[in-house]
Amino acid sequence: MSDRILGVIGVALAAFYIWQATLIQESFMSDPVGPKTFPIIIGVILGLSSIYFIIKPDPEPQWASFGRTMEVLFAAAVLFGYAYALPIGGFVLTTAITAMFLSWRLGAGPVQAAIAGATISVGIYVLFGLVLGLSLARGPWGF
């Protein structure tokens, strides 16, 4: 039953997300794809995934323990903090710290987590900032 409830909530969220995506204002200098396409694709994927939960629910779902649930909530809080710290610390530094922390919580050792954080941060910066030319949050060092 809980899977079906999650599925219905997911379908409602997907519908709301797609509706909000259709309200995005397009500038006069827009590419052929437009700014609405990617959010609509994400909404469709969410909706289809949620429909799967409605059609084929797990007969006996096993809920996470309280400690595990708190771990997930703490990770969500870290991501909210990341969004707030991004304009202050810049993309590279803030992403490196966040990715390092989340890698550590997912089971990597401290050195592996530091390497993963730096690699993820620089890799995404190179791909989106330098190759694709997207504007990313600038930090105190200008990147």
Side-chain angles (χ1 to χ4, degrees), residues 76-90 94 98 137:
V78 167
L79 292 173
F80 277 109
Y82 169 72
Y84 283 109
L86 206 54
I88 300 164
T94 309
T98 303

Side-chain angles (χ1 to χ4, degrees), residues 60-137:
E60 300 251 350
Q62 194 162 7
W63 291 91
S65 66
F66 177 76
R68 201 53 141 162
T69 302
M70 292 311 294
E71 184 96 21
V72 169
L73 291 176
F74 186 70
V78 167
L79 292 173
F80 277 109
Y82 169 72
Y84 283 109
L86 206 54
I88 300 164
F91 180 82
V92 175
L93 177 65
T94 309
T95 302
I97 292 170
T98 303
M100 179 181 67
F101 178 78
L102 292 176
S103 297
W104 173 65
R105 293 311 307 147
L106 287 171
V111 174
Q112 293 169 321
I115 292 169
T119 304
I120 289 168
S121 175
V122 171
I124 293 173
Y125 178 76
V126 168
L127 178 65
F128 288 101
L130 301 179
V131 174
L132 296 175
L134 298 177
S135 176
L136 300 173

Side-chain angles (χ1 to χ4, degrees), residues 14 18 38-51:
I18 291 169
F38 185 70
I40 290 174
I41 291 171
I42 297 296
V44 168
I45 292 171
L46 174 62
L48 292 174
S49 302
S50 298
I51 289 171

Side-chain angles (χ1 to χ4, degrees), residues 1-4 53 56-64:
M1 181 67 175
S2 60
D3 282 357
R4 286 199 169 116
F53 282 113
K56 200 165 187 185
D58 190 6
E60 300 251 350
Q62 194 162 7
W63 291 91

